[in-house]
Amino acid sequence: MIAIMPNAIAQIFRTGRVQSFEPGQSVFRSGDPVRMMYLVTGGQIALVRHTRAGTPLMLARVGPGGVLAEASAYSAVYHCDGTARGRSQLRMLPVARFLDHVHGATGPARAWAAQLARALQAARMQSEIRSLNTVAERLDAWLSDNEALPPRGQIQDLAHSLGVTREALYRELARRRG
Amino acid sequence: MIAIMPNAIAQIFRTGRVQSFEPGQSVFRSGDPVRMMYLVTGGQIALVRHTRAGTPLMLARVGPGGVLAEASAYSAVYHCDGTARGRSQLRMLPVARFLDHVHGATGPARAWAAQLARALQAARMQSEIRSLNTVAERLDAWLSDNEALPPRGQIQDLAHSLGVTREALYRELARRRG
DNA sequence: CGGCGTTTTGAGAGAGCTCAACATCGGTGG
DNA sequence: CCACCGATGTTGAGCTCTCTCAAAACGCCG
């Protein structure tokens, strides 16, 4: 989603310790106290929430350049699980230090707020897309905010993002080609 | 959603001009340049987005104490329409002034970021709920984050928030009572 | 070549949406 | 007090769509 970038937020993590995670390894779990903020520098971290019934729900997948669970910076405990998908590298910083940096000067504060705002727009967009009933409508809505379809190998990710099964999406794509 | 509150963000609007809107009246439209930030002091404003196909999609409804389109503070133009639902009152402030206030000192900056973070969590929650397939699952997920069902007269709002028709929700509620 | 994951296509069943009718409640005015 | 009205709540029946399960055709890489 967010490019690997020497932006103001990533700069804040420059002094952070680096840690690697194996596929499936947990970065934090729901209910854990929030002690660290994480910047993804490699791989991908999935944010998953489990309902009372036990159904797992993927809230987001964060790739290189993204900050893990932005909202957790203002929470005492996590509200979802953070799990590595594939070998991943994170750079971490204690929350207090992160917030000191981010709110210590107007520049970073603004960059951080802008980052939250972008994440908010993306989340609203995803919610909006999922309020549509048919695969065709959801795909149209997604295309209205994206340049082109993702390359081969990433269609399933798109299906997940749209909240439909891969079969349904493949069928819709075939329908449009023919 | 957000209580009427003398919080740091609402304070910023204390010098803002007040304006009333009639039901259906537009506060801003998609594509308009962002000039003002708005605090809702009475009534309710709907944020609606129209897909290329023309389907209207409600992104959010903002009640008293809420800020209209938080993310717009960092955008040049709006990405959705803001329309009054019922007679509503807004307090407005030029964007530049709003950002000066918000990022001028660490206190407000932090409060603003926290507000964005809360909105982000709410949006992710709604998106998460809508990724579930059945009304029963969506209702369970909603109840896991809310104390109780809304009172009579607001069931249809819940249905909309869950992304289901009112009939489907009424049926599920009846099923649980019986 | 032999796996492994992605892409395609098929058939059946389940769930919600749509359209329709009716009941209930609260307010308004005769 | 009662008739009326609109909005909310309730229930029914059919249709359509996706999900699920299943199988097969690719494509890539060791």
Side-chain angles (χ1 to χ4, degrees), chain B residues 140-161:
Chain B
D140 283 338
W142 188 88
L143 286 172
S144 76
D145 253 39
N146 292 270
E147 293 304 326
L149 289 170
R152 288 198 137 229
Q154 295 181 31
I155 303 292
Q156 305 198 27
D157 292 324
L158 173 57
H160 191 105
S161 161

Side-chain angles (χ1 to χ4, degrees), chain A residues 133 152-153 155-156 166-167 170-171 174 177:
Chain A
N133 300 326
R152 288 195 137 228
I155 303 291
Q156 304 197 31
R166 61 179 188 279
E167 291 99 322
Y170 282 132
R171 267 187 258 265
R177 283 196 306 262

Side-chain angles (χ1 to χ4, degrees), chain A residues 9-171:
Chain A
I9 299 303
Q11 281 302 308
I12 291 171
F13 284 91
R14 69 189 180 284
T15 64
R17 195 162 57 81
V18 176
Q19 187 173 348
S20 276
F21 290 81
E22 297 302 312
Q25 191 179 349
S26 178
V27 181
F28 52 79
R29 294 179 191 284
S30 185
D32 286 354
V34 177
R35 299 193 205 285
M36 295 282 184
M37 291 297 288
Y38 302 90
L39 176 75
V40 181
T41 58
Q44 192 176 68
I45 306 294
L47 300 182
V48 179
R49 182 163 180 168
H50 294 267
T51 64
R52 205 159 288 180
T55 327
L57 298 163
M58 184 176 303
L59 276 70
R61 272 179 284 188
V62 185
V67 175
L68 271 199
E70 295 100 329
S72 68
Y74 305 92
S75 288
V77 299
Y78 289 101
H79 290 77
C80 59
D81 298 351
T83 309
R85 293 169 57 82
R87 196 184 207 84
S88 304
Q89 289 77 46
L90 301 182
R91 204 175 267 275
M92 58 181 65
L93 216 58
V95 183
R97 183 115 64 97
F98 173 81
L99 288 177
D100 282 350
H101 272 99
V102 111
H103 292 311
T106 94
R110 196 168 176 136
W112 175 238
Q115 159 124 350
L116 287 168
R118 274 196 305 276
L120 177 59
Q121 278 192 315
R124 290 236 169 104
M125 183 67 191
Q126 198 176 34
S127 169
E128 164 187 4
I129 284 176
R130 290 180 178 182
S131 76
L132 300 169
N133 300 326
T134 67
V135 175
E137 287 174 315
R138 293 190 190 187
L139 184 54
D140 283 338
W142 188 87
L143 287 171
S144 76
D145 253 38
N146 293 270
E147 293 305 326
L149 289 170
R152 288 195 137 228
Q154 295 181 32
I155 303 291
Q156 304 197 31
D157 292 323
L158 173 58
H160 191 107
S161 162
L162 296 181
V164 301
T165 59
R166 61 179 188 279
E167 291 99 322
L169 179 55
Y170 282 132
R171 267 187 258 265

Side-chain angles (χ1 to χ4, degrees), chain B residues 88-142:
Chain B
S88 304
Q89 288 77 45
L90 301 182
R91 204 174 267 273
M92 58 182 64
L93 217 56
V95 183
R97 183 115 64 96
F98 173 81
L99 288 177
D100 283 350
H101 272 98
V102 111
H103 292 311
T106 95
R110 195 168 175 133
W112 175 238
Q115 160 122 351
L116 287 168
R118 274 195 305 276
L120 177 59
Q121 278 192 316
R124 290 237 170 103
M125 183 67 192
Q126 199 176 32
S127 169
E128 164 187 7
I129 284 176
R130 289 179 178 183
S131 76
L132 300 170
N133 299 327
T134 68
V135 175
E137 287 175 316
R138 293 190 190 187
L139 183 54
D140 283 338
W142 188 88

Side-chain angles (χ1 to χ4, degrees), chain B residues 36-51:
Chain B
M36 295 282 184
M37 291 297 289
Y38 302 91
L39 176 76
V40 180
T41 57
Q44 192 177 67
I45 306 295
L47 300 182
V48 179
R49 181 164 181 167
H50 295 267
T51 64

Side-chain angles (χ1 to χ4, degrees), chain B residues 2-67:
Chain B
I2 299 162
I4 304 177
M5 275 302 341
N7 61 38
I9 299 303
Q11 281 302 307
I12 290 171
F13 284 90
R14 70 188 180 285
T15 63
R17 196 161 57 81
V18 175
Q19 187 173 347
S20 277
F21 290 81
E22 298 302 312
Q25 190 178 348
S26 178
V27 181
F28 53 79
R29 295 179 191 283
S30 185
D32 287 354
V34 177
R35 299 192 206 285
M36 295 282 184
M37 291 297 289
Y38 302 91
L39 176 76
V40 180
T41 57
Q44 192 177 67
I45 306 295
L47 300 182
V48 179
R49 181 164 181 167
H50 295 267
T51 64
R52 207 160 287 181
T55 327
L57 298 163
M58 184 175 304
L59 276 69
R61 272 179 282 191
V62 184
V67 175

